[in-house]
């Protein structure tokens, strides 16, 4: 029966390790930047999954101590923090981040950019419907942003900042 339920002492150690790893992760994310939990990029997602795997597995592993789990957890969080800082270097950011992609410009669908973004034209239409767009001609730009969100800039809105438009276009690698 012990194999099914575990002993009270064993269950107590599992609970304690889980609680300690959870608190360690909370402090680790607190020391990190807010962006970690706001909009996840690929490396944010990997860090979150890694932290979840550590918190989920280490408490149940009888051969792994809290300290070993904490070292693993802190290593993942430190690596995430370092990559977050290194993203300030354009060459590193180019390796880590997806470039923004202009999917639609002045009412014209850019099919090559849609394909490079891994989307279909139907995906674009669905996104536009979610933004309340009923006519492609009312759109100045649709940008597939680095974090996977889509920005829709309508022609009827105030004239967009040309510096912002240029930054998006230069960031959109062909």
């Amino acid at each position: 029966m012990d194999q099914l339920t575990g002993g009270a002492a064993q269950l107590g150690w599992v609970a304690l390790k889980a609680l300690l790893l959870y608190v360690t992760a909370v402090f680790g994310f607190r020391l990190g930047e807010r962006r970690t939990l706001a909009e996840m990029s690929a490396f944010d997602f990997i860090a979150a999954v890694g932290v979840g795997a550590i918190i989920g597995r280490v408490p149940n592993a009888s051969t792994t101590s809290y300290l070993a789990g904490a070292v693993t957890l802190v290593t993942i969080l430190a690596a995430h923090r370092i990559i977050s800082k290194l993203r300030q270097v354009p060459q590193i950011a180019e390796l880590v981040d997806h470039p923004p992609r202009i999917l639609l410009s002045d009412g014209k669908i850019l099919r090559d950019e849609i394909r490079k973004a891994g989307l279909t034209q139907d995906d674009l239409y669905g996104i536009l419907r979610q933004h309340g767009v009923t006519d492609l001609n009312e759109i100045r730009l649709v940008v597939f942003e680095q974090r996977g969100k889509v920005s829709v800039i309508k022609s009827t809105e105030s004239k967009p900042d040309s510096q912002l438009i240029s930054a998006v276009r230069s960031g959109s690698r062909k």
Side-chain angles (χ1 to χ4, degrees):
M1 187 66 163
D2 226 21
Q3 293 292 358
L4 291 177
T5 60
Q10 180 188 11
L11 295 175
W13 284 114
V14 167
L16 181 61
K17 284 197 303 188
L19 177 64
L20 290 173
L21 285 168
Y22 176 79
V23 170
T24 303
V26 167
F27 281 113
F29 276 119
R30 179 68 179 97
L31 293 174
E33 296 182 13
R34 268 184 188 262
R35 62 175 305 283
T36 304
L37 300 176
E39 292 181 6
M40 286 201 249
S41 68
F43 78 96
D44 292 325
F45 179 75
I46 290 166
V49 168
V51 167
I54 293 163
I55 291 174
R57 290 186 180 155
V58 170
N60 297 315
S62 60
T63 58
T64 307
S65 68
Y66 159 74
L67 190 56
V71 167
T72 306
L73 187 62
V74 168
T75 301
I76 296 288
L77 292 171
H80 182 263
R81 174 79 172 183
I82 289 167
I83 290 174
S84 294
K85 293 297 180 191
L86 286 175
R87 286 180 58 251
Q88 301 301 316
V89 178
Q91 294 83 354
I92 304 284
E94 202 170 299
L95 292 172
V96 175
D97 293 325
H98 290 282
R101 297 230 178 257
I102 298 174
L103 305 178
L104 189 143
S105 180
D106 295 320
K108 182 181 176 201
I109 295 173
L110 305 176
R111 287 176 178 75
D112 284 346
E113 290 299 306
I114 290 173
R115 183 184 47 76
K116 288 176 186 174
L119 300 172
T120 66
Q121 194 165 321
D122 287 339
D123 293 332
L124 176 62
Y125 291 151
I127 291 165
L128 292 173
R129 285 190 298 273
Q130 289 174 350
H131 282 87
V133 174
T134 57
D135 181 4
L136 294 181
N137 293 320
E138 66 184 75
I139 302 300
R140 167 115 171 121
L141 282 178
V142 174
V143 182
F144 190 55
E145 303 289 356
Q146 290 175 314
R147 304 280 178 269
K149 289 193 175 187
V150 176
S151 298
V152 176
I153 302 168
K154 295 182 179 182
S155 299
T156 57
E157 294 176 3
S158 63
K159 182 129 174 87
D161 181 359
S162 60
Q163 184 177 1
L164 176 64
I165 303 292
S166 298
V168 171
R169 288 199 169 133
S170 67
S172 185
R173 291 177 236 145
K174 302 274 176 179

